[in-house]
Amino acid sequence: MELKLTRPICFFDLETTGTNISKDRIVEISILKVFENNNKESYTWKVNPGIPIPKETTAIHGISDEDVVNEPKFDELAPKINQMIKGCDLAGYNSNRFDIPLLAEEMLRVGIDFDLKKVNAVDVQTIFHKKEKRTLEAAYKFYCDKDLTDAHSAEADTNATYEVLKSQLDRYPDLENDTKWLSTYSAHKKFADLAGFIVLNKKDEEVFGFGKHRGKKVEDVLEKEPGYFGWIQNSDFPLYTKKVLTAIKLRKLATK
């Protein structure tokens, strides 16, 4: 089953220096752009992260410092990547929890305003886990009857993810072939940011998802404890979380 698209969707996968969204960097990114007529274009870039790649991370994806020493840094690639995904929905494997938040950090770090308010984000892993609860390699074998022989290569993982989603649509008649529906279905919780520090309650109000103010409305906390805003801005929180928090504060000030 081919995807029914109302606008392009970009499947993408990152290989990184680690799993810390705030601190780690991209070392490889692969994007498969699928257009409304199901034509495709794809690009894969190695990236010099500007920081050492730990040996234990190299052991997973096979990319070492020597492999990327002469590759462009992310700020050189960011305009091309941004242009490719602009106006598109996004999809990946565990992308809502990792790839999208980390890509947002890299974009914001180089001064590109990365905003997901109008983007549908389809997480193929979530669909898989809700249906079968396995890894990407197992998903590829289960749905496509193929072996993922080059796992942890960004390009192989990206293409496998695209094939798995199409096979999921074939297998499960209750899945709607609609990007927005799949985005809602594959979401974990309703996050206002990307990392889950600010979440939406049942009334779609922003509340803190961590710490001493967990469950409290962000607007109320910022009004009663103004210093909390400064503490978050000066601490090691993701840039996108800080951006969302600033927008909430400015929105509140505009209503006074």
Coordinates of all heavy atoms in Angstrom, one line a residue, residues 194-254:
L194 N 9.4 19.0 22.9 CA 9.8 17.7 22.3 C 10.3 16.6 23.2 O 10.2 15.5 23.0 CB 10.8 17.9 21.2 CG 10.4 18.8 20.0 CD1 11.6 19.1 19.1 CD2 9.3 18.1 19.2
A195 N 10.7 17.1 24.4 CA 11.4 16.2 25.3 C 10.5 15.8 26.5 O 10.9 14.9 27.3 CB 12.7 16.8 25.8
G196 N 9.3 16.3 26.6 CA 8.4 15.9 27.6 C 8.6 16.7 28.9 O 7.9 16.3 29.9
F197 N 9.3 17.8 28.9 CA 9.4 18.6 30.1 C 8.2 19.5 30.3 O 7.8 19.8 31.4 CB 10.7 19.5 30.1 CG 12.0 18.7 30.2 CD1 12.8 18.6 29.1 CD2 12.3 18.2 31.4 CE1 14.0 17.9 29.2 CE2 13.5 17.5 31.5 CZ 14.3 17.3 30.4
I198 N 7.5 19.8 29.2 CA 6.3 20.5 29.2 C 5.2 19.7 28.4 O 5.4 19.4 27.2 CB 6.4 21.9 28.6 CG1 7.5 22.7 29.3 CG2 5.1 22.7 28.6 CD1 7.8 24.1 28.6
V199 N 4.2 19.3 29.1 CA 3.2 18.4 28.5 C 1.8 19.1 28.5 O 1.7 20.1 29.1 CB 3.1 17.0 29.2 CG1 4.4 16.3 29.2 CG2 2.6 17.2 30.6
L200 N 0.9 18.5 27.7 CA -0.5 19.1 27.7 C -1.4 18.2 28.5 O -1.4 16.9 28.4 CB -1.0 19.1 26.3 CG -0.2 20.0 25.3 CD1 -0.7 19.9 23.9 CD2 -0.2 21.4 25.7
N201 N -2.2 18.8 29.4 CA -3.1 18.1 30.2 C -4.4 17.8 29.4 O -4.5 18.0 28.2 CB -3.4 18.8 31.5 CG -4.1 20.1 31.3 OD1 -4.6 20.4 30.2 ND2 -4.1 21.0 32.3
K202 N -5.4 17.3 30.1 CA -6.7 16.9 29.4 C -7.4 18.1 28.8 O -8.2 17.9 27.8 CB -7.6 16.1 30.3 CG -7.1 14.8 30.7 CD -8.0 14.1 31.7 CE -7.5 12.7 32.1 NZ -8.4 12.0 33.0
K203 N -7.1 19.3 29.3 CA -7.7 20.5 28.7 C -6.8 21.2 27.7 O -7.0 22.3 27.3 CB -8.0 21.5 29.9 CG -9.0 20.9 30.9 CD -9.2 22.0 32.0 CE -10.2 21.5 33.1 NZ -10.4 22.5 34.1
D204 N -5.7 20.5 27.3 CA -4.7 21.0 26.4 C -4.0 22.2 26.9 O -3.6 23.1 26.1 CB -5.4 21.3 25.0 CG -5.5 20.1 24.1 OD1 -4.8 19.1 24.4 OD2 -6.3 20.1 23.2
E205 N -3.9 22.3 28.2 CA -3.1 23.3 28.9 C -1.7 22.9 29.1 O -1.5 21.7 29.5 CB -3.8 23.7 30.2 CG -5.2 24.2 30.1 CD -5.9 24.3 31.4 OE1 -5.6 23.5 32.3 OE2 -6.7 25.3 31.6
E206 N -0.7 23.8 28.9 CA 0.7 23.4 29.2 C 0.9 23.2 30.7 O 0.6 24.1 31.5 CB 1.7 24.4 28.6 CG 1.6 24.6 27.1 CD 0.8 25.8 26.7 OE1 0.1 26.4 27.5 OE2 1.0 26.3 25.5
V207 N 1.5 22.1 31.1 CA 1.8 21.8 32.5 C 3.2 21.3 32.5 O 3.7 20.7 31.5 CB 0.9 20.9 33.2 CG1 -0.6 21.4 33.2 CG2 0.9 19.5 32.5
F208 N 3.9 21.5 33.6 CA 5.3 20.9 33.7 C 5.2 19.4 33.9 O 4.3 18.9 34.6 CB 6.0 21.5 34.9 CG 6.5 22.9 34.7 CD1 6.0 24.0 35.3 CD2 7.6 23.1 33.8 CE1 6.4 25.3 35.0 CE2 8.1 24.4 33.5 CZ 7.5 25.5 34.1
G209 N 6.1 18.7 33.2 CA 6.1 17.2 33.3 C 7.2 16.7 34.1 O 7.5 15.5 34.1
F210 N 7.8 17.5 34.9 CA 8.9 17.0 35.8 C 9.0 17.9 37.0 O 8.4 19.0 37.1 CB 10.3 17.2 35.0 CG 10.7 18.6 34.8 CD1 11.7 19.1 35.6 CD2 10.1 19.5 33.9 CE1 12.1 20.5 35.5 CE2 10.5 20.8 33.8 CZ 11.5 21.3 34.6
G211 N 9.8 17.4 38.0 CA 10.3 18.2 39.1 C 9.2 18.6 40.1 O 8.1 18.0 40.1
K212 N 9.5 19.6 40.9 CA 8.6 20.0 42.0 C 7.2 20.6 41.5 O 6.3 20.6 42.3 CB 9.3 21.0 42.9 CG 9.6 22.3 42.3 CD 10.3 23.3 43.3 CE 10.6 24.6 42.7 NZ 11.2 25.6 43.6
H213 N 7.2 21.0 40.3 CA 6.0 21.6 39.7 C 5.3 20.7 38.7 O 4.4 21.1 37.9 CB 6.3 22.9 39.0 CG 6.7 24.0 40.0 ND1 6.0 24.4 41.1 CD2 7.8 24.8 40.0 CE1 6.6 25.3 41.7 NE2 7.8 25.6 41.1
R214 N 5.6 19.4 38.8 CA 5.0 18.4 37.9 C 3.5 18.5 38.0 O 2.9 18.5 39.1 CB 5.4 17.0 38.2 CG 4.8 15.9 37.4 CD 5.1 14.5 37.9 NE 6.5 14.2 37.8 CZ 7.1 13.6 36.8 NH1 6.4 13.3 35.7 NH2 8.4 13.4 36.8
G215 N 2.8 18.6 36.8 CA 1.3 18.7 36.8 C 0.7 20.0 37.0 O -0.5 20.2 36.8
K216 N 1.6 21.0 37.3 CA 1.1 22.4 37.5 C 1.1 23.2 36.2 O 2.0 23.0 35.4 CB 1.9 23.1 38.6 CG 1.8 22.5 40.0 CD 2.7 23.3 41.0 CE 2.7 22.7 42.4 NZ 3.6 23.4 43.3
K217 N 0.2 24.1 36.0 CA 0.1 24.9 34.8 C 1.4 25.7 34.7 O 1.7 26.4 35.7 CB -1.1 25.7 34.8 CG -2.4 25.0 34.5 CD -3.6 25.9 34.5 CE -3.5 27.0 33.4 NZ -4.7 27.8 33.4
V218 N 2.0 25.8 33.6 CA 3.2 26.5 33.4 C 2.9 28.0 33.6 O 3.7 28.7 34.3 CB 3.8 26.3 32.0 CG1 4.9 27.3 31.7 CG2 4.2 24.9 31.8
E219 N 1.8 28.5 33.1 CA 1.5 30.0 33.3 C 1.4 30.3 34.8 O 1.9 31.4 35.2 CB 0.2 30.3 32.6 CG 0.3 30.4 31.1 CD -1.0 30.9 30.5 OE1 -2.0 31.1 31.2 OE2 -1.0 31.1 29.2
D220 N 0.8 29.4 35.6 CA 0.6 29.7 37.0 C 2.0 29.7 37.7 O 2.2 30.6 38.6 CB -0.3 28.7 37.6 CG -1.7 28.8 37.1 OD1 -2.1 29.8 36.5 OD2 -2.5 27.8 37.3
V221 N 2.8 28.8 37.4 CA 4.1 28.7 38.0 C 5.0 29.9 37.7 O 5.6 30.5 38.6 CB 4.9 27.4 37.6 CG1 6.3 27.4 38.1 CG2 4.1 26.1 38.1
L222 N 5.0 30.3 36.4 CA 5.8 31.4 36.0 C 5.3 32.7 36.7 O 6.1 33.6 36.9 CB 5.8 31.6 34.5 CG 6.4 30.4 33.7 CD1 6.4 30.8 32.2 CD2 7.8 30.2 34.2
E223 N 4.0 32.8 36.9 CA 3.5 34.0 37.6 C 3.8 34.0 39.1 O 4.2 35.1 39.6 CB 2.0 34.1 37.4 CG 1.3 35.4 37.9 CD -0.1 35.5 37.5 OE1 -0.6 34.6 36.8 OE2 -0.7 36.6 37.8
K224 N 3.7 32.9 39.7 CA 3.9 32.8 41.2 C 5.4 32.7 41.5 O 5.8 33.1 42.6 CB 3.2 31.6 41.7 CG 1.7 31.7 41.6 CD 1.0 30.5 42.1 CE -0.5 30.6 42.0 NZ -1.2 29.3 42.4
E225 N 6.2 32.1 40.6 CA 7.6 31.9 40.9 C 8.4 32.3 39.6 O 8.9 31.4 38.9 CB 7.9 30.4 41.2 CG 9.3 30.2 41.8 CD 9.4 28.7 42.2 OE1 8.5 28.0 42.5 OE2 10.6 28.2 42.1
P226 N 8.6 33.6 39.4 CA 9.2 34.1 38.2 C 10.7 33.5 38.0 O 11.1 33.4 36.9 CB 9.2 35.6 38.3 CG 8.1 35.9 39.3 CD 8.1 34.7 40.2
G227 N 11.3 33.3 39.1 CA 12.7 32.8 39.0 C 12.9 31.4 38.4 O 13.9 31.1 37.9
Y228 N 11.8 30.7 38.3 CA 11.8 29.3 37.8 C 12.1 29.4 36.3 O 12.8 28.5 35.7 CB 10.5 28.6 38.0 CG 10.5 27.1 38.0 CD1 11.3 26.4 38.9 CD2 9.8 26.4 37.0 CE1 11.4 25.0 38.8 CE2 9.9 25.0 36.9 CZ 10.6 24.3 37.9 OH 10.7 23.0 37.8
F229 N 11.6 30.4 35.6 CA 11.9 30.6 34.2 C 13.4 30.8 34.0 O 14.0 30.2 33.1 CB 11.1 31.9 33.7 CG 11.4 32.2 32.2 CD1 10.8 31.6 31.2 CD2 12.4 33.2 32.0 CE1 11.1 31.9 29.9 CE2 12.6 33.5 30.6 CZ 12.0 32.9 29.6
G230 N 14.0 31.7 34.8 CA 15.4 32.0 34.6 C 16.2 30.7 34.9 O 17.3 30.5 34.3
W231 N 15.8 29.9 35.9 CA 16.5 28.7 36.3 C 16.6 27.7 35.1 O 17.6 27.2 34.7 CB 15.9 28.1 37.5 CG 16.5 26.7 37.8 CD1 17.8 26.5 38.3 CD2 16.0 25.4 37.5 NE1 18.0 25.1 38.4 CE2 16.9 24.5 37.9 CE3 14.7 25.0 37.0 CZ2 16.7 23.1 37.8 CZ3 14.5 23.6 36.9 CH2 15.4 22.7 37.3
I232 N 15.4 27.6 34.4 CA 15.4 26.7 33.3 C 16.2 27.2 32.1 O 16.9 26.5 31.5 CB 13.9 26.4 32.8 CG1 13.1 25.6 33.9 CG2 13.8 25.7 31.5 CD1 11.7 25.4 33.6
Q233 N 16.1 28.5 31.9 CA 16.8 29.1 30.7 C 18.3 29.0 30.9 O 19.1 28.9 29.9 CB 16.4 30.6 30.6 CG 15.0 30.8 30.1 CD 14.7 30.3 28.7 OE1 15.6 30.3 27.9 NE2 13.5 29.8 28.5
N234 N 18.8 29.0 32.2 CA 20.2 28.9 32.4 C 20.7 27.5 32.8 O 21.9 27.3 33.1 CB 20.6 29.9 33.6 CG 20.4 31.3 33.2 OD1 20.8 31.8 32.2 ND2 19.7 32.1 34.1
S235 N 19.8 26.5 32.7 CA 20.2 25.2 33.0 C 20.3 24.4 31.7 O 20.0 24.9 30.6 CB 19.2 24.5 33.9 OG 19.1 25.2 35.2
D236 N 20.7 23.1 31.9 CA 21.0 22.3 30.7 C 19.7 21.6 30.2 O 19.7 20.4 30.0 CB 22.0 21.2 31.1 CG 22.6 20.5 29.9 OD1 22.6 21.1 28.8 OD2 23.1 19.4 30.1
F237 N 18.7 22.4 29.8 CA 17.5 21.9 29.2 C 17.6 22.0 27.7 O 18.4 22.9 27.2 CB 16.3 22.7 29.7 CG 15.8 22.3 31.1 CD1 16.4 23.0 32.2 CD2 14.9 21.3 31.3 CE1 16.0 22.7 33.5 CE2 14.6 20.9 32.6 CZ 15.1 21.6 33.7
P238 N 16.9 21.2 26.9 CA 16.9 21.4 25.5 C 16.5 22.8 25.0 O 15.6 23.4 25.6 CB 15.9 20.3 25.0 CG 15.9 19.3 26.1 CD 16.0 20.1 27.3
L239 N 17.1 23.2 23.9 CA 16.8 24.6 23.4 C 15.3 24.7 23.0 O 14.7 25.8 23.2 CB 17.7 24.9 22.2 CG 19.2 25.0 22.5 CD1 20.0 25.2 21.2 CD2 19.5 26.2 23.4
Y240 N 14.8 23.6 22.5 CA 13.4 23.7 22.1 C 12.5 23.8 23.3 O 11.4 24.5 23.2 CB 13.0 22.4 21.3 CG 11.7 22.6 20.4 CD1 11.8 23.2 19.2 CD2 10.5 22.3 20.9 CE1 10.7 23.4 18.4 CE2 9.3 22.5 20.1 CZ 9.4 23.1 18.9 OH 8.3 23.3 18.1
T241 N 12.8 23.2 24.4 CA 12.0 23.4 25.6 C 12.1 24.8 26.1 O 11.1 25.4 26.5 CB 12.6 22.5 26.7 OG1 12.4 21.1 26.3 CG2 11.8 22.7 28.0
K242 N 13.2 25.4 26.0 CA 13.4 26.8 26.4 C 12.6 27.7 25.5 O 12.0 28.7 25.9 CB 14.9 27.2 26.4 CG 15.7 26.5 27.4 CD 17.2 26.8 27.3 CE 18.0 26.1 28.4 NZ 19.5 26.4 28.3
K243 N 12.6 27.4 24.2 CA 11.8 28.2 23.2 C 10.3 28.1 23.5 O 9.7 29.2 23.5 CB 12.1 27.6 21.8 CG 11.2 28.3 20.7 CD 11.5 27.6 19.4 CE 10.5 28.2 18.3 NZ 10.6 27.6 17.0
V244 N 9.8 26.9 23.8 CA 8.4 26.8 24.1 C 8.1 27.6 25.4 O 7.0 28.2 25.5 CB 8.0 25.3 24.3 CG1 6.6 25.1 24.8 CG2 8.1 24.6 22.9
L245 N 8.9 27.4 26.4 CA 8.7 28.1 27.7 C 8.7 29.6 27.5 O 7.8 30.3 28.0 CB 9.8 27.8 28.7 CG 9.6 28.2 30.1 CD1 8.4 27.5 30.7 CD2 10.8 28.0 31.0
T246 N 9.6 30.2 26.6 CA 9.6 31.6 26.3 C 8.3 32.0 25.7 O 7.7 33.1 26.0 CB 10.8 31.9 25.5 OG1 12.0 31.6 26.2 CG2 10.8 33.4 25.1
A247 N 7.8 31.2 24.7 CA 6.6 31.5 24.0 C 5.4 31.6 25.0 O 4.5 32.5 24.8 CB 6.3 30.5 22.9
I248 N 5.4 30.7 25.9 CA 4.3 30.7 26.9 C 4.3 32.0 27.8 O 3.3 32.6 28.0 CB 4.4 29.4 27.8 CG1 4.1 28.2 27.0 CG2 3.3 29.5 28.9 CD1 4.4 26.9 27.7
K249 N 5.6 32.3 28.2 CA 5.7 33.5 29.0 C 5.3 34.8 28.2 O 4.6 35.6 28.7 CB 7.2 33.7 29.4 CG 7.4 34.9 30.3 CD 8.9 34.9 30.8 CE 9.1 36.1 31.7 NZ 10.5 36.2 32.2
L250 N 5.7 34.9 27.0 CA 5.4 36.0 26.1 C 3.9 36.1 25.9 O 3.3 37.2 25.9 CB 6.1 36.0 24.8 CG 7.7 36.2 24.9 CD1 8.3 36.0 23.6 CD2 8.0 37.6 25.5
R251 N 3.3 34.9 25.7 CA 1.8 34.9 25.5 C 1.1 35.4 26.7 O 0.1 36.1 26.6 CB 1.4 33.4 25.2 CG -0.1 33.3 24.8 CD -0.4 31.8 24.7 NE -0.3 31.1 25.9 CZ -0.1 29.8 26.0 NH1 0.1 29.0 25.0 NH2 0.0 29.2 27.2
K252 N 1.5 35.0 27.9 CA 0.9 35.4 29.1 C 1.1 36.9 29.3 O 0.1 37.6 29.7 CB 1.6 34.7 30.3 CG 1.0 35.0 31.7 CD -0.5 34.6 31.8 CE -1.0 34.8 33.2 NZ -2.4 34.5 33.3
L253 N 2.3 37.5 29.0 CA 2.5 38.9 29.1 C 1.6 39.7 28.2 O 1.2 40.8 28.5 CB 4.0 39.2 28.9 CG 5.0 38.7 29.9 CD1 6.4 38.9 29.4 CD2 4.7 39.4 31.3
A254 N 1.4 39.1 27.0 CA 0.5 39.8 26.0 C -0.9 39.9 26.4 O -1.6 40.8 25.9 CB 0.7 39.1 24.7

